[in-house]
Amino acid sequence: MITPLLADTTFVEASWVMIVKSLIIFIVILSIVPVVLLAERKLLGRFQQRYGPNRVGPFGALQPLADVGKLLSKQGFRPKGAVPFLYEIAPALSILSAVLVLAILPFGDVQGGVGLYGIDVPIGILYFFAFGALAFYGLLLGGWASGSKYSFLGAMRSAAQLISYELAMGLSLLGVVLMAGSLSLVDIVKAQGEIWYILPQFVGFLIFLTAGFAETNRVPFDLPEADAELVAGYSTEYGGMRFGSYFFAEYMEILVISGITATMYLGGWMGPGPSWLDPIWMLAKMGVVTFFFIWIRATLPRFRYDQLMSFGWKILIPLATLNILVTAILVVVI
Amino acid sequence: MLEVLFFLAAIGALGGAVGVVFLKNPFYSVLSLVVHLIFLAVLFLLLEAQFLAAAQIVVYAGAVMVIYVFVAAYVGGIEEPLFDPIPRLRVLGPVLAAAIFIEISIAVLGSSLVALGTEGASDLEAGFGTPASIGLLLLEDFLIAFEVASLLLLVTAVAAIVLAGRKPGEEGVES
């Protein structure tokens, strides 16, 4: 049976295949999140000349489980000044917007009648931007509805930061889209058969990665939750699993940005070996980018707020525009 | 399936729109406008206008509304009176409202009602509503109109900067 689809897709499958696929992608990525969490704490430890977690389980491997257990068993607490409904729904929005993007990450081409991706839509990368834009509401509503000054300031910072860096992010990806001639992520990976776009689009790659750090509120752009000034920014008033949701959403978003980076610039699923290795290659590339995220966190200090703004508007956006101009001219000439 | 989705989206869009007008707190008004815009994007998807749906979310819910929310969060929180008549508009307001109502009624009676009983266009050409087809329309067939519109937006942006940015040395501006 073919399901009626709301959008054109290049490849249509039976609906049960789609459901199974979605479940597999979700479960795999979901089980990677705690691994990333542990890897981050372990690596940070090594970067800082200490061991990192090593008490729970062998080599501290059960630490994330212990953390989740602790968060789950905590009381669901709402501060007095908080707005009931919005306070509760905000962390869920954050997770939703990150998880939905997983649908378009390609882990391989069509193999044995099944496309190794959630769905391949012609609007492709725009889908990522649509849900990236909605991620903002999770942070802002959480910060605003908490009824606390620190939360509110954190939310406002995240709003300003998100608007500033979303532009640079979109512009930097346009170079790739121009070269591939398609918005679809599957087509973009296929277009990288000869050369990965990290080489011809190196400037775009740097801009995208920088903007990616800003979008995920990671060091050096973690001003929305700058702990020295704002306690914990938008998540100050959250505890228990609601705080856990924000935490989870942050790592999910890191994985999503890593996935988009791997797809757009690092050749996606392409790699030597038989075709069944494709998803492994994709996951490995995501891992490399995620490692880079952690490395940067251990290396760079936090920006000052005015530096953040002038860097975004006066350096990144003009540079990204120039990158598109040069790419467009080269694409037409060659 | 499609019918259920249509009614869900339509009710959501209408509810959001009603909320914008009837909620007293400006912050909630803005949020309900966001809800309205998202459901509108679902309606676009139902019409096979996928690019438009994505653009709707990216541009409106993702950029324009972020600024609205930003401002409302800063200065909002005050319960505004629902109906606060401005003397001069007491006459003009109802007249304009009636004009818009008549205009929309003519449009609805003229086209939408006729299409209600039909199945809709079944022979959509392949690639309808995709970025490629919209790009061809905007940059080949309607290039001049497209460029005029972007020029207009550019003028607005420049005007906004001129209005907002006062020169140094003016009153209330340091150096």
Side-chain angles (χ1 to χ4, degrees):
Chain A
M1 196 193 90
I2 304 291
T3 42
L5 285 167
L6 300 178
D8 276 351
T9 48
T10 44
F11 189 68
V12 183
E13 290 151 333
S15 45
W16 67 267
V17 178
M18 305 270 274
I19 293 172
V20 171
K21 267 196 325 194
S22 328
L23 278 176
I24 291 176
I25 293 175
F26 181 68
I27 290 169
V28 167
I29 299 291
L30 193 74
S31 38
I32 288 179
V33 169
V35 178
V36 172
L37 239 148
L38 181 73
E40 165 151 53
R41 293 186 60 182
K42 277 286 201 192
L43 284 167
L44 276 182
R46 292 291 164 181
F47 283 125
Q48 295 161 354
Q49 310 292 324
R50 56 187 173 84
Y51 288 114
N54 62 357
R55 295 289 133 178
V56 192
F59 304 106
L62 297 178
Q63 186 66 45
L65 271 180
D67 287 344
V68 169
K70 177 195 144 202
L71 285 173
L72 274 176
S73 61
K74 279 194 167 185
Q75 183 194 1
F77 176 78
R78 179 158 56 78
K80 203 176 160 195
V83 182
F85 177 63
L86 293 179
Y87 178 82
E88 278 135 28
I89 202 178
L93 274 181
S94 260
I95 289 194
L96 191 71
S97 58
V99 169
L100 282 174
V101 181
L102 293 180
I104 57 162
L105 287 183
F107 292 89
D109 203 356
V110 179
Q111 286 181 16
V114 176
L116 300 182
Y117 39 76
I119 193 166
D120 176 27
V121 280
I123 53 171
I125 197 68
L126 282 176
Y127 178 98
F128 161 67
F129 281 110
F131 286 106
L134 292 185
F136 151 81
Y137 289 100
L139 301 195
L140 183 111
L141 289 183
W144 185 84
S146 289
S148 146
K149 281 183 186 132
Y150 295 123
S151 307
F152 182 66
L153 286 174
M156 289 292 113
R157 281 187 179 182
S158 79
Q161 185 172 315
L162 211 115
I163 302 177
S164 310
Y165 281 81
E166 204 183 19
L167 267 176
M169 195 178 221
L171 290 176
S172 66
L173 284 183
L174 267 187
V176 170
V177 172
L178 277 176
M179 287 189 73
S182 170
L183 289 168
S184 149
L185 294 182
V186 175
D187 290 350
I188 287 174
V189 173
K190 282 180 186 162
Q192 296 179 71
E194 288 175 8
I195 186 168
W196 291 359
Y197 285 148
I198 184 173
L199 288 176
Q201 284 292 322
F202 191 67
V203 181
F205 171 72
L206 288 184
I207 298 170
F208 178 79
L209 215 55
T210 316
F213 282 114
E215 295 273 305
T216 45
N217 300 319
R218 293 282 293 187
V219 177
F221 300 102
D222 63 337
L223 287 126
E225 43 191 318
D227 31 12
E229 314 153 25
L230 292 179
V231 191
Y234 59 87
S235 60
T236 303
E237 303 294 335
Y238 280 92
M241 211 44 218
R242 288 191 193 123
F243 171 76
S245 309
Y246 271 132
F247 206 63
F248 174 81
E250 187 186 324
Y251 284 87
M252 192 57 114
E253 249 173 71
I254 292 173
L255 281 176
V256 164
I257 298 270
S258 308
I260 299 281
T261 314
T263 310
M264 302 298 274
Y265 294 102
L266 302 177
W269 67 74
M270 297 206 176
S275 60
W276 57 265
L277 272 177
D278 287 354
I280 311 279
W281 277 113
M282 176 69 179
L283 287 174
K285 285 170 187 174
M286 281 169 74
V288 170
V289 183
T290 309
F291 173 76
F292 189 68
F293 265 81
I294 298 168
W295 186 9
I296 289 290
R297 175 169 174 186
T299 310
L300 290 181
R302 184 180 300 134
F303 271 133
R304 217 172 52 221
Y305 197 71
D306 59 322
Q307 291 172 331
L308 168 97
M309 280 294 145
S310 54
F311 181 66
W313 288 98
K314 292 179 186 162
I315 297 178
L316 278 190
I317 292 181
L319 202 62
T321 318
L322 198 69
N323 181 42
I324 297 175
L325 264 180
V326 173
T327 312
I329 291 170
L330 286 179
V331 166
V332 171
V333 169
I334 296 171
Chain B
M1 171 68 187
L2 288 180
E3 284 83 355
V4 175
L5 210 57
F6 168 77
F7 278 105
L8 277 181
I11 290 168
L14 282 176
V18 169
V20 175
V21 182
F22 283 101
L23 284 170
K24 283 185 178 165
N25 188 325
F27 190 77
Y28 292 143
S29 278
V30 174
L31 285 187
S32 98
L33 188 52
V34 175
V35 171
H36 168 74
L37 289 171
I38 290 171
F39 279 114
L40 214 54
V42 177
L43 286 178
F44 283 147
L45 267 187
L46 284 170
L47 293 171
E48 303 248 339
Q50 24 182 326
F51 178 77
L52 211 56
Q56 166 93 2
I57 299 270
V58 174
V59 174
Y60 283 98
V64 176
M65 292 320 291
V66 168
I67 298 180
Y68 276 40
V69 170
F70 196 74
V71 173
Y74 262 128
V75 300
I78 315 147
E79 302 264 310
E80 296 281 341
L82 209 50
F83 184 64
D84 189 15
I86 305 164
R88 272 183 231 163
L89 291 182
R90 204 166 276 174
V91 184
L92 206 56
V95 173
L96 287 178
I100 289 176
F101 178 74
I102 292 169
E103 200 179 336
I104 292 176
S105 302
I106 291 172
V108 168
L109 292 173
S111 62
S112 307
L113 280 187
V114 178
L116 261 190
T118 64
E119 282 292 308
S122 54
D123 51 345
L124 287 178
E125 49 192 299
F128 177 84
T130 56
S133 67
I134 295 210
L136 276 180
L137 280 179
L138 284 183
L139 296 175
E140 299 269 341
D141 300 359
F142 299 101
L143 181 63
I144 294 172
F146 180 68
E147 290 298 335
V148 168
S150 39
L151 202 66
L152 202 65
L153 283 175
L154 186 66
V155 170
T156 338
V158 171
I161 292 169
V162 168
L163 284 176
R166 285 177 290 178
K167 290 177 197 72
E170 261 179 61
E171 226 180 310
V173 180
E174 287 172 26
S175 66

